[in-house]
Amino acid sequence: MSKPKSPDQLRSARWFAPDDLRSSTHRSRAMQMGYAATEWAGKPVIAIINTWSDINPCHAHFKTRVDDVKRGVLQAGGFPVELPAISLAEIFVKPTTMLYRNMLAMDTEELIRSHPVDGVVLMGGCDKTTPALLMGATSAGLPAIYVPAGPMLRGNWQGTVLGSGSDVWKYWDERRAGRIGKTEWEGVEAGVARSHGTCMTMGTAATMMSIAEALGMSLTGASSIPAADVNHIRMCSASGRRIVEMVWEDLTPAKILTRAAFENAIRTAMALGCSTNAIIHVIAQGRRAGIPIGLDDFEKASRIIPVIANIRPSGDQYLMEDFFYAGGLPGLLNRIRDKLHLGALTVTGKTLGENIEGAGVFNDDVIRPIDNPIYDEGALAVLRGNLAPDGCVIKPSACAPHLRKHSGPALVFDDYPSMKAAVDDENLDVTPEHILVLRNAGPHGGPGMPEWGMLPMPKKLLKQGVKDMLRLSDARMSGTSYGACILHVAPEAYIGGPLALLRTGDIVSVDVPARSISMEVSDAELAKRRAAWTPPPPRFERGYGWMFAKHIRQANEGCDFDFLETAFGAPVPEPVIY
């Protein structure tokens, strides 16, 4: 293997190689930890950014998987150093991990830049972790490879296969309607999450791990391997070996994350029946790479790429474990290869086309042929109109078909507690024709744009057997969710977007085929309401939240901090060493 770099050109040599007092101190302190100079001298130093914590079940196995990555680094002649980063435990962190995605991105970027490392392995998987790690590594600019946590095993309750999130919502509605009791519900609780790893539906975690692979940032097939499968261990060590080679080759994210790579990722997401959250994260990742990705890129892909992954919630039966057995992401990519930029470079050192050449599909019901899709357009649709001039998002592949074109009166709530109390009131004045609206739940309003967008179905309607209705918000929703939920309304209500002017009883019209959404209120009336609108008080007066509110972008812009986007300023130079 050719080595464009020589050992003296390694970035870490700036810390360790010079014959001066400061470098002598670096060498001395490394020896203090029990290392001999022969362990690092002339070798690539590889940072392993580990997002393990005691309260993150998605990453529980990273406590030992990091040793497998280290083994691979050592085998390839590198020197591994583990650098812990903030762990965004999706279920436990409140009000939402989205509030802290950019914090992890900053953590990642600064850990890489400030330490004597030549390349980096990114260990993540839980929803916001994947985009955060990639955003930070992209900005840092060193060779980087992503190691996905992998999905957990299929859930099980009384012989019924359970999917993360999707079945939780379904059975919780059954309990609210009185059709199952406490004992049955406790069985669902115990059976839905049976191993370490991420959600095993095509939620945000599986979506973003797959997008990382489609972008070219992880080894071929890595994103589909279940966390509990021994292949996952081998993938970890292989990633450790490969990052050492990438350092010698100087294969950086800038050479991989091209417009072609992002178009591949977006088209892959559509074929997967992806999470709506993919839009926000991919836009942010693109801007970090200097690629102006926007809502229109998703809309274009949606029109040409059908959903062929029969995985819940877009699909009706299978989960990620089944997807892996059926051929995983390489099999799916090979099925849509005519829609992909096959010449895009990847961390393997080969092109995407070379990586997926000959990849098979072993179950045509799990990964459908192009001519027999789950849904004949892509998973997501972008709607615009006077209610969302900067766009909003719906997942038509996971909602009742009759609701893709619908007009009805709005039932508006300004906060989650009042909405929650109302939907549990069996005397609520609501019909299936109504459109439930929650506002003030966006980036500023949430704060942090929580996953509140799958508004609970009113108990009154559940008892009537109604299982879906149009729901609208400036929030996000879990990628494991389903239903006719319109999300990411931009600009958000909290900063005065048109959603702030909507009133209960106003007619809202949605036409997914036409990609439109509007409130049937005259311009004159809207102007009158605008004049009477009063901005709410800021959510934070100090700390990280204050900084977040000052710099956060809107959903259609990726919700990154303005000062972190590539276009904000010149690249950060290497740190001085004195």
Side-chain angles (χ1 to χ4, degrees):
M1 179 183 67
S2 62
K3 294 184 178 181
K5 283 187 176 180
S6 59
D8 64 306
Q9 294 174 316
L10 291 172
R11 181 175 180 271
S12 58
R14 295 181 62 233
W15 275 260
F16 290 114
D19 185 14
D20 60 23
L21 179 61
R22 179 54 58 203
S23 293
S24 174
T25 302
H26 298 154
R27 294 189 294 269
S28 174
R29 292 303 189 177
M31 292 176 183
Q32 180 185 1
M33 293 182 285
Y35 298 117
T38 53
E39 296 186 67
W40 74 75
K43 298 178 180 181
V45 178
I46 304 300
I48 304 172
I49 307 294
N50 191 355
T51 53
W52 171 86
S53 82
D54 262 334
I55 201 168
N56 191 333
C58 301
H59 299 176
H61 53 316
F62 278 174
K63 191 171 187 177
T64 56
R65 290 290 193 274
V66 68
D67 294 330
D68 302 308
V69 176
K70 290 178 180 178
R71 173 163 51 90
V73 171
L74 292 168
Q75 287 171 342
F79 180 63
V81 291
E82 181 181 357
L83 301 177
I86 183 174
S87 186
L88 301 181
E90 187 68 24
I91 295 300
F92 294 105
V93 172
K94 305 300 178 189
T96 170
T97 53
M98 189 63 187
L99 188 64
Y100 302 104
R101 184 199 67 180
N102 298 342
M103 178 184 278
L104 175 56
M106 294 171 71
D107 195 4
T108 301
E109 179 178 351
E110 300 306 326
L111 280 172
I112 295 169
R113 181 175 290 115
S114 62
H115 284 89
V117 299
D118 303 291
V120 58
V121 178
L122 309 165
M123 298 183 67
C126 198
D127 293 14
K128 315 308 179 297
T129 307
T130 300
L133 289 169
L134 291 175
M135 288 160 66
T138 298
S139 295
L142 298 187
I145 192 168
Y146 171 70
V147 170
M152 69 176 90
L153 298 177
R154 288 184 292 247
N156 185 278
W157 172 59
Q158 296 183 352
T160 299
V161 173
L162 298 178
S164 307
S166 301
D167 281 311
V168 173
W169 317 131
K170 181 177 78 174
Y171 284 106
W172 183 247
D173 280 349
E174 291 294 293
R175 188 175 180 206
R176 290 176 65 222
R179 289 188 281 269
I180 67 171
K182 186 174 184 293
T183 300
E184 290 85 357
W185 176 250
E186 289 174 348
V188 172
E189 281 184 341
V192 74
R194 298 191 303 114
S195 77
H196 47 255
T198 69
C199 292
M200 78 309 250
T201 43
M202 186 50 68
T204 305
T207 293
M208 296 313 299
M209 290 187 290
S210 298
I211 282 175
E213 182 177 335
L215 279 170
M217 290 300 293
S218 65
L219 295 181
T220 306
S223 65
S224 310
I225 305 171
D229 193 299
V230 70
N231 286 286
H232 194 270
I233 296 175
R234 288 191 279 268
M235 180 271 294
C236 288
S237 60
S239 297
R241 291 190 292 273
R242 178 59 193 150
I243 188 59
V244 176
E245 296 170 349
M246 289 174 64
V247 169
W248 292 124
E249 296 165 8
D250 197 29
L251 182 51
T252 61
K255 297 174 183 177
I256 296 170
L257 297 177
T258 61
R259 170 158 284 279
F262 280 100
E263 289 181 356
N264 284 343
I266 293 169
R267 294 171 187 182
T268 300
M270 292 298 169
L272 287 166
C274 66
S275 163
T276 50
N277 291 304
I279 291 184
I280 292 175
H281 297 319
V282 172
I283 289 174
Q285 288 176 244
R287 290 180 175 220
R288 287 297 187 100
I291 308 296
I293 298 299
L295 292 178
D296 288 343
D297 293 293
F298 287 86
E299 178 56 33
K300 290 174 185 176
S302 177
R303 295 293 195 178
I304 62 173
I305 306 290
V307 179
I308 63 171
N310 188 8
I311 307 171
R312 301 179 197 175
S314 290
D316 60 2
Q317 183 174 354
Y318 300 108
L319 298 170
M320 286 299 293
E321 190 176 342
D322 306 295
F323 183 64
F324 174 63
Y325 301 146
L329 194 67
L332 178 137
L333 293 177
N334 217 11
R335 286 237 152 130
I336 63 168
R337 63 183 297 122
D338 292 345
K339 307 290 186 183
L340 301 174
H341 301 288
L342 299 177
L345 186 63
T346 73
V347 293
T348 67
K350 300 177 181 179
T351 65
L352 180 68
E354 291 173 312
N355 289 344
I356 65 174
E357 185 65 39
V361 172
F362 312 110
N363 187 324
D364 283 337
D365 195 38
V366 178
I367 304 175
R368 297 283 188 88
I370 293 289
D371 58 2
N372 183 32
I374 293 296
Y375 183 69
D376 58 9
E377 286 193 346
L380 307 180
V382 177
L383 313 181
R384 288 187 172 91
N386 69 345
L387 195 53
D390 291 336
C392 57
V393 179
I394 188 171
K395 189 172 184 175
S397 60
C399 73
H402 73 279
L403 293 171
R404 294 172 192 156
K405 190 172 183 178
H406 178 80
S407 293
L411 182 54
V412 182
F413 299 96
D414 286 322
D415 57 73
Y416 199 93
S418 60
M419 181 273 299
K420 181 69 167 59
V423 297
D424 285 336
D425 181 359
E426 296 185 38
N427 295 314
L428 180 67
D429 185 11
V430 65
T431 71
E433 301 304 307
H434 273 91
I435 297 175
L436 289 184
V437 178
L438 173 66
R439 62 189 175 199
N440 299 318
H444 286 268
M449 205 178 180
E451 291 185 343
W452 295 344
M454 187 188 178
L455 311 188
M457 288 290 294
K459 185 180 290 187
K460 176 181 177 179
L461 297 183
L462 287 174
K463 290 195 170 185
Q464 295 172 9
V466 179
K467 295 185 177 181
D468 201 3
M469 67 186 302
L470 270 176
R471 288 157 277 179
L472 171 67
S473 76
D474 47 15
R476 298 176 302 109
M477 77 174 183
S478 167
T480 66
S481 302
Y482 55 88
C485 299
I486 300 170
L487 313 154
H488 309 180
V489 172
E492 64 176 304
Y494 205 79
I495 63 170
L499 186 62
L501 310 180
L502 187 68
R503 293 180 179 174
T504 292
D506 290 342
I507 300 299
V508 173
S509 294
V510 174
D511 189 334
V512 174
R515 301 300 198 255
S516 69
I517 182 168
S518 61
M519 50 179 165
E520 298 180 11
V521 182
S522 70
D523 291 344
E525 175 62 20
L526 288 176
K528 182 179 177 181
R529 295 180 188 180
R530 167 70 62 198
W533 181 76
T534 302
R539 294 291 196 199
F540 300 98
E541 295 188 6
R542 61 165 300 280
Y544 174 76
W546 179 89
M547 183 183 76
F548 181 97
K550 291 292 184 182
H551 297 284
I552 193 67
R553 296 284 200 184
Q554 286 291 288
N556 61 301
E557 301 170 310
C559 293
D560 201 0
F561 292 153
D562 53 11
F563 63 85
L564 294 178
E565 293 181 349
T566 300
F568 188 82
V572 179
E574 283 289 310
V576 296
I577 301 176
Y578 293 116

